């Protein structure tokens, strides 16, 4: 299969990237981050998470972020909504799009959202119905598609079962999360092949974390299969609070450098993105985990 001509990046730095930060990140910093990402050409920015502040304190300012961010024409500002309570709040705050998040692992589902996989799907159904009535699109996430911090190996059949349920429920796109970054390229391909038997490739996204340094290799593998939607976070920020040791998402700068080299269009200004990565890591006192970002900053 040939590479896609263009790829849509879903920038998750302001959500996945910041949700696990031990020190509070100010709402003002989040506004500036989101604005800079839009200026760099990102057209899909996950801005907040309407989850319990007791579970994820770093996302407690979700209302302020969603209502106060400076909107740019043509940019989708989305938010995570695990249940109806989260959805109603996100709708009130003007989220353009929302996302429900399930898992291919029972143990991870319990730790992350406090219910079983089948209970989570039951909870998501009314979220999708209500969002549809409000004409707001819903994205679906499946976590632990290439391994689970509690269960270890995850069968591709389990991933495809959950992905299919989300798709059939009405998610316009399903993002496949290697939450703990343990995947390797052939494994990623096999998992994707299983999922793509039930869901068209153009309705799937790759959401890879770089914990074991495999994210770019895994992305190359799934790009070859035809994946054209990639989730990433500027400077490789991030980690999941319910997946110990999980480091950040693959860095957006590294993904753009790879895509540029393959001649795949993304519409993103790499220098502006790299400057954003330098700025946010300096602002929150974190190392820049984008190799490309570090190299560009050193020029
Ligand atoms: P629960 O305790 O089962 O829910 O949590 P509950 O309905 O019994 O409510 C308990 C309390 O939470 C109540 O408050 C509710 O009002 C409140 P209290 O009466 O104790 O004061 N509550 C809420 N507050 C704000 N917004 C809401 C909400 N819902 C209930 N939406 C729940 C269930 C899902 C809420 C909880 O488990 C939770 O918030 N989990 C968040 C987990 C999370 O955010 N994880 C990180 C994101 S997922 C991820 O990073 C993976 C991804 O990147 C893909 C990948 O990498 O694989 C997407
Ligand atoms: Mg993630």
């Amino acid at each position: 299969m040939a590479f896609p001509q263009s790829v849509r990046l879903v920038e998750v730095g302001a959500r996945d990237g910041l949700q696990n930060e031990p020190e509070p990140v100010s709402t003002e910093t989040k506004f500036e981050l989101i604005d800079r990402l839009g200026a760099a050409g990102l057209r899909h920015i996950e801005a907040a998470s309407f989850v319990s502040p007791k579970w994820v304190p770093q996302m407690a300012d979700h209302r302020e972020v969603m209502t106060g961010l400076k909107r740019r024409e043509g940019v989708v500002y989305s938010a995570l909504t695990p249940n109806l309570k989260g959805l109603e709040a996100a709708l009130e705050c003007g989220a353009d799009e929302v996302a429900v998040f399930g898992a291919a692992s029972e143990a991870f589902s319990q730790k992350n959202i406090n219910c079983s996989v089948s209970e989570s799907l039951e909870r998501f159904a009314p979220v999708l119905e209500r969002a549809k009535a409000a004409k707001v699109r819903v994205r679906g996430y499946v976590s632990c598609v290439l391994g689970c911090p509690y269960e270890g190996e995850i069968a591709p059949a389990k991933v495809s079962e959950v992905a299919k349920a989300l798709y059939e429920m009405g998610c316009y796109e399903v993002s496949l999360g290697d939450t703990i970054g343990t995947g390797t390229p052939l494994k990623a391909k096999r998992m994707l092949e299983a999922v793509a038997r039930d869901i068209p490739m153009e309705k799937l996204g790759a959401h890879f974390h770089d914990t074991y340094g495999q994210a770019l290799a895994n992305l190359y593998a799934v790009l070859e299969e035809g994946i054209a939607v990639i989730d990433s976070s500027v400077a490789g920020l991030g980690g999941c609070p319910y997946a110990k040791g999980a480091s950040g998402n693959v860095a957006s700068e590294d993904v753009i450098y790879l895509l540029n080299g393959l001649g795949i269009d993304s519409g993103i200004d790499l220098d502006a993105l790299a400057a954003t990565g330098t700025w946010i890591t300096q602002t929150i006192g974190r190392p820049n985990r984008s190799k490309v970002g570090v190299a560009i900053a050193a020029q």
Side-chain angles (χ1 to χ4, degrees), residues 9-297:
L9 240 73
V10 176
E11 170 60 50
V12 298
R15 194 280 303 172
D16 210 348
L18 296 181
Q19 70 184 5
N20 203 28
E21 277 303 303
E23 298 300 323
V25 177
S26 76
T27 309
E28 285 304 320
T29 299
K30 294 181 185 179
F31 286 152
E32 184 166 350
L33 174 61
I34 292 165
D35 191 47
R36 282 177 181 247
L37 291 168
L42 269 315
R43 289 293 165 263
H44 192 145
I45 299 175
E46 204 170 70
S49 195
F50 286 78
V51 296
S52 162
K54 284 183 194 149
W55 284 63
V56 187
Q58 199 61 257
M59 293 287 118
D61 59 352
H62 42 234
R63 279 182 179 270
E64 291 79 1
V65 171
M66 199 41 96
T67 51
L69 60 84
K70 197 168 101 196
R71 282 166 190 277
R72 275 172 197 273
E73 185 78 29
V75 180
V76 170
Y77 298 96
S78 65
L80 296 193
T81 54
N83 52 21
L84 270 176
K85 185 180 166 86
L87 176 72
E88 291 298 347
L91 293 178
E92 275 170 36
C93 297
D96 300 317
E97 186 181 304
V98 297
V100 292
F101 48 104
S105 147
E106 286 296 340
F108 185 81
S109 181
Q110 288 290 352
K111 299 268 187 205
N112 194 39
I113 50 175
N114 207 20
C115 62
S116 70
V117 173
S118 67
E119 281 164 349
S120 76
L121 295 172
E122 278 167 32
R123 274 188 203 173
F124 298 155
V127 173
L128 273 124
E129 260 173 51
R130 174 74 186 92
K132 192 174 173 196
K135 297 195 168 45
V136 165
R137 295 204 303 177
V138 184
R139 196 170 196 240
Y141 279 104
V142 184
S143 282
C144 299
V145 301
L146 295 172
C148 168
Y150 312 104
E151 294 181 9
E153 289 289 317
I154 296 291
K158 183 68 186 176
V159 181
S160 72
E161 182 190 315
V162 179
K164 190 173 171 210
L166 291 174
Y167 185 63
E168 287 180 346
M169 210 180 267
C171 290
Y172 78 94
E173 181 170 289
V174 178
S175 173
L176 301 166
D178 182 12
T179 318
I180 52 168
T182 51
T184 44
L186 283 180
K187 211 169 156 187
K189 275 194 184 202
R190 283 191 199 115
M191 178 279 296
L192 182 62
E193 277 160 15
V195 177
R197 269 181 227 129
D198 295 318
I199 304 177
M201 192 63 83
E202 65 271 18
K203 303 289 183 189
L204 295 171
H207 177 111
F208 294 165
H209 285 253
D210 200 32
T211 318
Y212 286 81
Q214 303 297 301
L216 275 185
N218 294 342
L219 280 179
Y220 185 87
V222 298
L223 280 165
E224 274 189 328
E225 298 287 305
I227 274 283
V229 179
I230 295 175
D231 301 357
S232 61
S233 86
V234 66
L237 295 174
C240 176
Y242 298 100
K244 259 202 175 133
S247 74
N249 299 83
V250 64
S252 307
E253 301 90 315
D254 297 2
V255 174
I256 298 304
Y257 187 84
L258 173 71
L259 295 177
N260 288 349
L262 293 171
I264 300 174
D265 183 41
S266 67
I268 290 159
D269 176 343
L270 179 56
D271 287 329
L273 186 60
T276 303
T278 302
W279 166 79
I280 187 64
T281 47
Q282 284 172 356
T283 303
I284 66 172
R286 282 286 185 186
N288 190 337
R289 292 214 201 91
S290 165
K291 293 213 167 187
V292 170
V294 171
I296 291 177

